Amino acid sequence: MHSSRKGAVPHGSDVLVIGGGIIGLVTAWRAALRGMRTALADPAPGGGAAQVAAGMLAAVTELHYGEETLLGLNVASARRYPDFVAELEEASGLETGYRACGTLAVALDADDRAHLRELHALQQRSGLDSQWLTGRECRRLEPMLAPGVRGGLRVDGDHQIDPRRLAKALLTACERAGVVFHHGWADRLSVVRERAVGAVLGDGTGLAADQVVLAGGSLSGRLAGVPEELRPPVRPVKGQVLRLTVPPAYAPFLSRTVRAVVRGSHVYLVPRADGELVVGATSEELGWDTTVTAGGVYELLRDAHELVPGITELPLTETRAGLRPGSPDNAPLLGPTALPGLHLATGHYRNGVLLTPVTGDALAHALATGELPAEARPFTPRRFTSAPVESVPQELTV
Ligand code: GLY
């Protein structure tokens, strides 16, 4: 571990994590477990995109062309999930809603079927486990599916977790591991002699730390004090999500996650054990707008209804929009930056929940050793900047 400069300033810690979404929380928890004195700054820890996300752990069914490097990290994190959940539930005393239920990706017309066949071929070339089913076989597995379903891919390894419960469990695990929470948003990174040394909160409080992890989700690119050339290239990608409830008389409505691409848009239905049914998600490049729109709700319900007509009978209990932290290559930015003392854990885009275990481990390793573990090295923030740290402003703010 890096040496501590405690004593010279109040609120000193070995590690300061900026951002208390699931990525910031898992980083803080894992760092604290390694014996680092860890602090976290966020006005409302446990919030963020995890309050909206459906929680699919979809390494296989979210595979996209050109993302084979990301696939390696996604698969590594999916494999880690059962042990991660067991450890987290033990540490927090809380359940996370992890459900090893599998996923069925279906096709509604000839175009969808061709697209799924291509995906299946790509999965097979990538050594992933998925099985092609006829429409009839799909309906045998999930009788609520529309009669028009033309075929599908059964992926028994793509599971789910409840991200709200995950966030709560991580928050409690952090508290129990001694993470110190500062309930304010970091306004500015503090940089002294070309090194990140902490942050200043909105109320002027200075927090000193040997190392800082910027885990601000879609807001990560907006922290003042980060040298311009090192600002994470992260943008918000809006997703509208619906929550419905399956009354006990209708259960089991669906036994696994069901998804499809309908007219080019992804739609998925994620059934929880407690009767919640999550339907997502739009994908909109609209800046920081989180309005739930009639059009968004209409499209999600229309597409979900084509897949599972009975959905319109269910109570609609919640509509909400969140912001995915998108990066230029759809992959996260993990570990040390060219500014000594500053690490990133952001840009997880569509895979934040899936990548939570591997991110916590990678960041804790990087904080302890200065290096990313081999599996996370392709995701260094340095892939977007080759610039050395030359013109870092001299600031003395803590
Ligand atoms: N991973 C699902 C989504 O981003 O909508």
Side-chain angles (χ1 to χ4, degrees), residues 54-56 58 62 239 241 259 266 268 280-283 324 349-352:
M56 290 181 298
E62 288 236 349
V241 174
R259 59 184 303 158
H266 289 269
Y268 43 79
T282 64
S283 189
R324 306 175 183 89
Y349 189 39
R350 298 182 70 92
N351 296 305

Side-chain angles (χ1 to χ4, degrees), residues 241-263:
V241 174
L242 316 177
R243 282 176 161 78
L244 298 92
T245 303
V246 178
Y250 286 55
F253 189 77
L254 295 173
S255 62
R256 73 201 68 223
T257 296
V258 169
R259 59 184 303 158
V261 178
V262 182
R263 287 176 288 272

Side-chain angles (χ1 to χ4, degrees), residues 297-352:
V297 174
Y298 165 72
E299 282 168 26
L300 288 171
L301 285 176
R302 180 196 61 197
D303 295 349
H305 175 255
E306 278 191 41
L307 278 185
V308 178
I311 194 171
T312 47
E313 303 295 317
L314 304 179
L316 174 62
T317 40
E318 194 182 321
T319 58
R320 201 151 161 185
L323 299 173
R324 306 175 183 89
S327 77
D329 58 5
N330 299 337
L333 292 87
L334 303 176
T337 65
L339 177 66
L342 177 64
H343 297 252
L344 299 185
T346 187
H348 292 70
Y349 189 39
R350 298 182 70 92
N351 296 305

Side-chain angles (χ1 to χ4, degrees), residues 10-337:
H11 307 306
S13 56
D14 297 322
V15 175
L16 171 64
V17 179
I18 297 176
I22 51 174
I23 295 298
L25 289 171
V26 77
T27 300
W29 180 44
R30 291 318 225 188
L33 288 186
R34 285 192 180 226
M36 293 177 235
R37 293 176 319 132
T38 304
L40 185 148
D42 192 302
Q51 293 301 314
V52 181
M56 290 181 298
L57 306 175
V60 178
T61 43
E62 288 236 349
L63 174 61
H64 293 98
Y65 283 99
E67 293 183 3
E68 287 80 359
T69 310
L70 176 58
L71 172 68
L73 196 69
N74 286 346
V75 168
S77 207
R79 285 207 188 105
R80 223 164 281 190
Y81 241 101
D83 288 346
F84 172 79
V85 163
E87 190 183 344
L88 178 60
E89 292 189 346
E90 169 77 24
S92 65
L94 296 172
E95 288 187 1
T96 59
Y98 177 70
R99 193 174 182 202
C101 59
T103 295
L104 185 62
V106 301
L108 285 168
D109 61 25
D111 285 351
D112 298 346
R113 203 163 75 147
H115 167 85
L116 262 195
R117 285 279 195 198
E118 289 283 317
L119 181 63
H120 189 213
L122 177 60
Q123 289 165 347
Q124 290 193 314
R125 283 200 300 281
S126 307
L128 301 171
D129 203 9
S130 65
Q131 187 192 351
W132 182 261
L133 301 184
T134 63
R136 185 171 299 174
E137 287 168 331
C138 290
R139 280 188 300 280
R140 207 172 295 140
L141 274 186
E142 294 296 341
M144 296 304 284
L145 280 174
V149 164
R150 304 279 289 267
L153 280 177
R154 176 178 176 166
V155 180
D156 286 342
D158 274 5
H159 302 316
Q160 61 153 303
I161 193 166
D162 183 337
R164 293 177 176 175
R165 290 181 178 209
L166 172 65
K168 204 162 174 220
L170 283 168
L171 190 56
T172 302
C174 280
E175 286 163 357
R176 290 186 174 181
V179 173
V180 175
F181 285 90
H182 298 280
H183 293 269
W185 185 246
D187 256 6
R188 167 170 289 273
L189 182 73
S190 303
V191 179
V192 176
R193 286 186 289 280
E194 300 191 357
R195 182 176 179 92
V197 295
V200 182
L201 300 185
D203 66 1
T205 307
L207 304 176
D210 280 357
Q211 301 189 82
V212 178
V213 180
L214 175 50
S218 58
L219 292 165
S220 300
R222 297 190 3 161
L223 182 67
V226 177
E228 189 60 36
E229 67 278 14
L230 301 184
R231 278 181 188 252
V234 174
R235 68 185 196 285
V237 183
K238 177 178 171 183
Q240 300 189 48
V241 174
L242 316 177
R243 282 176 161 78
L244 298 92
T245 303
V246 178
Y250 286 55
F253 189 77
L254 295 173
S255 62
R256 73 201 68 223
T257 296
V258 169
R259 59 184 303 158
V261 178
V262 182
R263 287 176 288 272
S265 300
H266 289 269
V267 63
Y268 43 79
L269 292 82
V270 182
R272 305 247 192 268
D274 63 5
E276 183 176 80
L277 179 67
V278 186
V279 177
T282 64
S283 189
E284 303 166 75
E285 302 272 359
L286 287 174
W288 275 271
D289 171 57
T290 52
T291 315
V292 174
T293 62
V297 174
Y298 165 72
E299 282 168 26
L300 288 171
L301 285 176
R302 180 196 61 197
D303 295 349
H305 175 255
E306 278 191 41
L307 278 185
V308 178
I311 194 171
T312 47
E313 303 295 317
L314 304 179
L316 174 62
T317 40
E318 194 182 321
T319 58
R320 201 151 161 185
L323 299 173
R324 306 175 183 89
S327 77
D329 58 5
N330 299 337
L333 292 87
L334 303 176
T337 65

